[in-house]
Amino acid sequence: MPRPTDLTSFAAYARALAGLTSERIETMRALAAEVEPYLEGVTDRFYARLESVPETRAWIDGRVESLRKPHRDWLTMLFRTDFGAGYAQTLMRIGDAHAKAGLPVDFLIAGMTVVQEALQPVVLAGARAKPFAEAARLASVNAALGCSLVMLQRAYATRAATPSPPRAA
């Protein structure tokens, strides 16, 4: 069965694939005010990791300051969105910019693990000694990042499926 092409269906597909239920979306939204003061630190950790790897450092060298705000804006959106068509469109646009720049898709995948790692202590802080709440928070963040990655990667899949124009002989 082909993947959905309209944005509403695609967003539903990405949510289903990542296990991002309406309850998990509500958990993300409930966390927004609690985590937002720490998102700058998450962004710091994200770029510190990218700068520590020579292959990724080459892509961001001299540009980190201009990239920080859009990254921070996305993190804020992650905790406030409905993960619907508008969010899918935004992430597909971001993914397309990454793909056009030639950024390898593995950078996106690894980047999500860095964000997940940096968010864990932040989302767990408000649920200390409540194992079920901790698990629900972590599952929600994991599903939200997974859904986001599916949406970001769509641009790469679309580009791979589009034939390149023939080259002149």
Side-chain angles (χ1 to χ4, degrees):
M1 181 174 156
R3 292 184 298 178
T5 54
D6 71 277
L7 286 175
T8 300
S9 297
F10 175 62
Y13 164 78
R15 288 189 310 271
L17 196 59
L20 186 57
T21 62
S22 58
E23 293 82 12
R24 287 178 173 171
I25 293 169
E26 286 309 311
T27 298
M28 292 296 288
R29 288 178 166 175
L31 287 169
E34 185 179 319
V35 302
E36 282 180 5
Y38 303 97
L39 295 180
E40 194 63 38
V42 172
T43 297
D44 291 343
R45 286 186 65 181
F46 177 78
Y47 284 107
R49 176 75 56 83
L50 295 182
E51 289 179 315
S52 75
V53 178
E55 293 81 0
T56 54
R57 184 176 47 245
W59 288 93
I60 63 170
D61 195 36
R63 301 181 52 227
V64 172
E65 285 311 308
S66 67
L67 296 170
R68 291 179 62 79
K69 184 181 180 328
H71 187 265
R72 172 69 166 72
D73 290 348
W74 167 68
L75 287 172
T76 300
M77 187 187 325
L78 183 70
F79 287 92
R80 297 200 173 270
T81 186
D82 63 359
F83 296 89
Y87 184 73
Q89 185 173 35
T90 297
L91 264 67
M92 289 169 60
R93 198 169 36 248
I94 293 167
D96 191 54
H98 285 75
K100 278 182 184 173
L103 192 72
V105 72
D106 47 321
F107 289 10
L108 290 179
I109 298 164
M112 284 298 184
T113 65
V114 175
V115 171
Q116 170 81 4
E117 178 184 292
L119 282 173
Q120 284 177 2
V122 173
V123 300
L124 289 175
R128 286 197 176 104
K130 298 175 190 165
F132 293 109
E134 291 174 346
R137 287 171 171 227
L138 289 177
S140 298
V141 170
N142 187 56
L145 292 174
C147 176
S148 299
L149 186 56
V150 170
M151 292 172 174
L152 284 165
Q153 290 183 134
R154 176 51 70 97
Y156 286 84
T158 302
R159 287 185 168 279
T162 306
S164 298
R167 294 182 184 206

